[in-house]
Structure formats: C-alpha cells, structure tokens
Amino acid sequence: EAGVAQSPRYKIIEKRQSVAFWCNPISGHATLYWYQQILGQGPKLLIQFQNNGVVDDSQLPKDRFSAERLKGVDSTLKIQPAKLEDSAVYLCASSFAGGGHYGYTFGSGTRLTVV
Amino acid sequence: AQSVTQLDSQVPVFEEAPVELRCNYSSSVSVYLFWYVQYPNQGLQLLLKYLSGSTLVKGINGFEAEFNKSQTSFHLRKPSVHISDTAEYFCAVSDAGGTASKLTFGTGTRLQVTL
C-alpha cells in the first residue's frame, strides 16, 4: 500500500512570499488532515477534511492560510503571505472515515523555513 | 476539548536499561490513545494504540503501554532500550465516538539512549 505523499520535502522562502504544499492521501481514505509542527512542539491540527468538505478549521489562521481538497482526493495548503513564525514542518495525514478506530497514516512532511 | 500532557520533555537513558515515558490525558468522552515515534527529518510512525479491551497494549519494536482509566494515563514502556530507539515520542488522543475524529498530540518526549 502506498503511503501518504507530500511535496515538496523542503522549502525556503522569504517572509511575505507565498508557498503551497501538496498532499496525496492513501487511496480510499475519506478523511485528510493538515498539521503544523513547530520545532520542539507536538503537531497541531490546522484543518480536517471529510471527502471535499471541511470538518474542522478552527485553528487555521484564515487571514493567511488556505486549503482545499478538490474532488475529495489530493489537497493543497497555501500560505500567503508567510511570516517568520510559520517556519515549521507541515504534516499531512489521512484515515478512513471514523478516524481513530482505523488509524491514521502520516506523510513525511514538508519542512518550511521562512527567512 | 481534549488535551494530552507529556510530563517529561527529555528522558536520558543508558542502552539496555528500562524506560517509561509518561502520558496523561484529559477528555469528557471516551477516547482512543496512541503513541507515535518520530525519527529526525521523518514523519510520524505509529508504535501502538489502545481502542478497547485489554488495558495492556503491545506495539512494535518491543514497546508496550498500559491504559489506566482512573488515572487517565497511558504510559509507554520498554524493558530494554537500544541506541536506535533515540527519537521523539508523541502521545495522542482521539474521540472514540466520532465519525471523523482528529488526533490531539502532546508536546513530545525526547528519548536519548547512550552507551
């Protein structure tokens, strides 16, 4: 079974620039999550999709972050404009509907450095 | 809302010694509990999970954890660690009853194994 694919693996941008991350979940997984992991902290949920609908985006800074999941498969997360504090690893995860019982699979993440 | 507290940010231990990484959680509903390991520059790998049934859960790489409902704890143990166990360990919780439950993580414990 193929895992959760994320790209790019690394990205360095200047503050106020924009950046986009891509995630391809495991085939058949209805639920997709984007997490932000700042150095030295645990992952924090940014947004959760069920198919192509948003379930939870309460911790997404909507003035600069946006995400979409067209056709209920791939997803992109965008930051515009980036701030220094956005430097983090952005993890994508997916699961069957039902979440915890079926488990979650994480991608390798995108490490973003804002300078 | 759910929360997870990992009581130790760092745990140094000698190779072949036993180790316990502590985790406490808070939730008003029934939960599923997870331990993940993260090696440098990699994503999160599931070590083990508690869904229901036996409170002692065995996972990969010789790790086990015990669910204690009265103490709201889910401590991770290994009887004899190896250098290769050096990594960051995250405890996480999800809602057991939800149809699309997110994971809430603790802040992590850095396990440092030395000779």
Side-chain angles (χ1 to χ4, degrees):
Chain A
E1 175 181 80
V4 175
Q6 289 189 247
S7 68
R9 197 74 176 83
Y10 303 93
K11 190 75 178 178
I12 301 174
I13 62 172
E14 295 182 350
K15 60 184 179 183
R16 291 188 289 275
Q17 286 187 323
S18 62
V19 65
F21 313 126
W22 174 81
C23 173
N24 181 238
I26 290 176
S27 178
H29 279 194
T31 310
L32 185 147
Y33 313 80
W34 282 103
Y35 283 85
Q36 179 192 58
Q37 186 179 16
I38 293 173
L39 186 65
Q41 299 181 21
K44 181 187 80 171
L45 181 72
L46 290 175
I47 189 167
Q48 177 184 343
F49 292 95
Q50 180 81 0
N51 296 308
N52 60 351
V54 175
V55 174
D56 184 350
D57 64 356
S58 58
Q59 298 203 74
L60 186 74
K62 299 180 186 64
D63 58 333
R64 297 184 301 106
F65 286 65
S66 64
E68 61 182 9
R69 191 183 184 196
L70 299 176
K71 301 180 182 178
V73 182
D74 293 7
S75 177
T76 56
L77 176 69
K78 297 178 181 178
I79 308 175
Q80 182 179 7
K83 292 185 175 181
L84 296 177
E85 59 259 36
D86 298 331
S87 293
V89 175
Y90 291 84
L91 294 165
C92 179
S94 68
S95 70
F96 284 110
H101 186 79
Y102 298 100
Y104 308 81
T105 304
F106 284 83
S108 297
T110 295
R111 182 177 297 276
L112 173 67
T113 302
V114 182
V115 297
Chain B
Q2 297 162 334
S3 66
V4 176
T5 301
Q6 291 185 245
L7 299 162
D8 306 296
S9 59
Q10 294 187 64
V11 173
V13 63
F14 290 111
E15 191 174 30
E16 297 183 4
V19 70
E20 178 180 82
L21 306 184
R22 297 180 292 168
C23 172
N24 287 89
Y25 70 92
S26 173
S27 177
S28 58
V29 299
S30 296
V31 297
Y32 296 143
L33 293 156
F34 305 79
W35 275 99
Y36 284 86
V37 60
Q38 188 175 38
Y39 299 102
N41 299 315
Q42 294 188 27
L44 295 164
Q45 180 184 5
L46 180 67
L47 277 177
L48 48 79
K49 62 182 177 182
Y50 171 78
L51 303 181
S52 65
S54 173
T55 57
L56 183 62
V57 180
K58 293 190 182 298
I60 62 171
N61 301 340
F63 284 94
E64 63 181 33
E66 186 156 19
F67 171 56
N68 188 318
K69 187 174 182 180
S70 63
Q71 296 188 10
T72 61
S73 68
F74 191 55
H75 300 333
L76 180 71
R77 302 185 183 100
K78 187 169 182 178
S80 176
V81 296
H82 190 268
I83 287 284
S84 60
D85 293 322
T86 294
E88 191 84 20
Y89 291 79
F90 292 96
C91 182
V93 62
S94 74
D95 177 358
T99 58
S101 301
K102 66 183 181 184
L103 274 173
T104 299
F105 288 88
T107 51
T109 297
R110 170 87 178 150
L111 177 63
Q112 181 68 50
V113 182
T114 55
L115 295 172

